[in-house]
Amino acid sequence: MKHLPDIDPSKLEVTKTTTPKQLVPNQDLVFGRTFTEWTASQGWLAPRIAPYQNLSLDPATCVFHYAFECFEGMKAYKCPKDNSLRLFRPDKNMSRMNGSSARIALPTFDGDALIKLIGEMCKLEERFIPSEKGYSLYLRPTMIGTQRTLGVGPPGSALLYVIASPVGPYYPTGFKAINLEATDYAVRAWPGGVGDKKLGANYAPCIVPQLKAAKRGFHQNLWLFGEEEFITEVGTMNLFVCIKNKETGQKELVTAPIDGTILEGVTRDSVLSLARERLEPQGWKVSERYLRMRDIAEAEKEGRLMEVFGSGTAAIVSPVRNISWKEQMINCGLKETEEAGQITLKMKGWMEGIQYGDEEHPWSFKIP
């Protein structure tokens, strides 16, 4: 079998803008992108960094018709103590993106090579990355099938690109706990499907249920699955529950297991790892197991439900105040004067400490 070229950072071409933009509010999308193209006959072509611009695609391009698209969400940070630029566990994003692309017949790539290219782009755009805690450069690696065809089959060409935007704190004035609607009339993912992959096609069908929940006064959907109403994810985040054991009173941090329906979140994995390292010595149990909605309701009635939070790249952790289920409102352990529980606050502090270089940790990848 012919060996086709992988991504080669040594062939990087950089085209700088002739009209550099002024620093703008962090929420505005501004600057460049890095991209590289792939064909079934030539493999990955030389990568380029160029000014942010529109894509030009034929109306018959397969991504428009059959959803050949996957993406990642990650951030670059500036360390205040040495001004270094850092990525947070980028190897995990690369591994997940390769898994997503392979699942929908898009080409895979050398993850280390793409990390190097992302690093080069971050260095070019360093002025847009504030060192203030809570601020970062959001990075969106994306791959699309670009073959011009209405036939259904593996794409013969693809485009891998990364765009970026400076972002500020998810909660600029401090944590704001959210209210969830337990959703059983729509399903986010199912066994044998692609719920564990980061595909654009997984997100669009969730918008209508989210709008319905919003009309009823809720921030997000809590996705339930099956007759047992197992808790899966919340909105676009993984979900964690802090609960006390009914018999022993032992504190337990629980999240749904990776079973093909749960997205393998980088933040999820980080929360689990930090909990096993730092909470288990304090007597906590850390579990990846199924939890039913009625288990949550029962724990709340018995005073065993301590706190609930979502986890994801955007917010790191997002505290939950209430869950609406079967015409009852379940209080998730927060007092009226509280916006986040102790474990939620600890996780945010631990994670940000690593991301911004306050704590030197293997997860913090320093861009050379």
Side-chain angles (χ1 to χ4, degrees):
M1 183 177 178
K2 183 180 177 182
H3 178 72
L4 297 175
D6 210 317
I7 297 174
D8 187 350
S10 69
K11 295 181 179 178
L12 174 65
E13 300 173 8
V14 178
T15 303
K16 295 185 178 181
T17 180
T18 56
T19 56
K21 296 189 177 182
Q22 298 298 312
L23 290 174
V24 293
N26 285 337
Q27 68 269 22
D28 293 342
L29 179 67
V30 278
F31 35 89
R33 67 171 188 177
T34 178
F35 59 99
T36 182
E37 297 173 87
W38 173 91
T39 69
S41 60
Q42 296 176 284
W44 288 104
L45 308 182
R48 293 175 287 159
I49 294 178
Y52 190 84
Q53 58 194 265
N54 292 336
L55 297 177
S56 179
L57 296 169
D58 190 284
T61 302
C62 61
V63 65
F64 298 139
H65 302 273
Y66 308 120
F68 287 104
E69 188 269 356
C70 62
F71 68 96
E72 276 299 317
M74 52 197 295
K75 290 179 178 179
Y77 307 86
K78 184 176 287 184
C79 174
K81 68 182 182 184
D82 63 5
N83 233 28
S84 61
L85 299 181
R86 301 177 182 228
L87 301 173
F88 182 73
R89 306 189 77 183
D91 55 314
K92 300 286 286 185
N93 294 98
M94 298 300 103
S95 175
R96 185 171 64 181
M97 190 170 188
N98 268 319
S100 297
S101 60
R103 180 63 179 83
I104 55 172
L106 287 173
T108 56
F109 57 90
D110 180 346
D112 290 338
L114 184 56
I115 290 172
K116 187 171 183 179
L117 292 173
I118 289 172
E120 292 301 314
M121 187 173 78
C122 289
K123 287 189 284 187
L124 283 171
E125 306 294 358
E126 181 176 356
R127 68 195 181 104
F128 290 101
I129 312 176
S131 58
E132 186 181 348
K133 190 71 67 72
Y135 290 85
S136 58
L137 184 67
Y138 183 79
L139 301 162
R140 174 54 66 88
T142 307
M143 192 188 301
I144 61 173
T146 55
Q147 184 175 356
R148 299 187 298 268
T149 178
L150 295 181
V152 182
S157 60
L159 175 67
L160 171 59
Y161 63 92
V162 182
I163 56 176
S165 173
V167 291
Y170 193 84
Y171 296 105
T173 59
F175 272 125
K176 296 293 181 186
I178 60 175
N179 296 314
L180 308 179
E181 182 177 68
T183 304
D184 57 3
Y185 64 87
V187 179
R188 192 199 76 88
W190 50 90
V194 290
D196 60 335
K197 303 297 186 285
K198 206 163 179 64
L199 311 180
N202 282 339
Y203 290 77
C206 297
I207 300 302
V208 169
Q210 183 178 337
L211 291 173
K212 290 181 178 179
K215 283 184 178 180
R216 291 187 281 267
F218 300 97
H219 298 93
Q220 284 287 359
N221 305 87
L222 174 57
W223 302 106
L224 306 182
F225 181 78
E227 292 182 0
E228 293 290 315
E229 295 187 311
F230 290 120
I231 292 169
T232 61
E233 297 189 0
V234 50
T236 59
M237 298 181 287
N238 296 115
L239 188 78
F240 284 85
V241 177
C242 297
I243 198 169
K244 290 181 181 178
N245 184 278
K246 190 171 185 176
E247 281 76 33
T248 66
Q250 184 183 25
K251 298 174 183 178
E252 183 182 11
L253 179 66
V254 186
T255 193
I258 297 298
D259 62 358
T261 68
I262 302 295
L263 185 68
E264 297 181 33
V266 177
T267 309
R268 173 192 181 276
D269 183 78
S270 303
V271 168
L272 285 170
S273 297
L274 289 171
R276 286 172 178 140
E277 175 191 313
R278 303 179 185 188
L279 293 181
E280 284 188 346
Q282 299 176 23
W284 281 74
K285 181 179 180 181
V286 180
S287 304
E288 296 176 70
R289 65 178 179 87
Y290 294 107
L291 200 60
R292 299 167 299 186
M293 197 60 227
R294 66 174 179 266
D295 297 330
I296 297 289
E298 181 184 88
E300 189 249 1
K301 286 181 180 177
E302 297 174 356
R304 296 185 291 108
L305 183 58
M306 300 170 64
E307 61 183 284
V308 178
F309 61 90
S311 71
T313 300
I316 303 179
V317 286
S318 184
V320 176
R321 181 174 297 282
N322 297 304
I323 301 172
S324 173
W325 176 65
K326 295 189 184 301
E327 300 183 355
Q328 59 180 301
M329 193 67 72
I330 298 171
N331 181 287
C332 296
L334 295 179
K335 299 175 183 176
E336 286 188 15
T337 56
E338 292 179 326
E339 293 294 339
Q342 290 185 359
I343 301 303
T344 307
L345 291 168
K346 281 184 178 181
M347 285 298 171
K348 181 178 184 291
W350 289 340
M351 293 275 286
E352 284 190 338
I354 295 170
Q355 290 168 343
Y356 289 91
D358 299 338
E359 175 188 345
E360 290 299 340
H361 194 285
W363 290 348
S364 182
F365 174 84
K366 191 179 291 189
I367 294 174

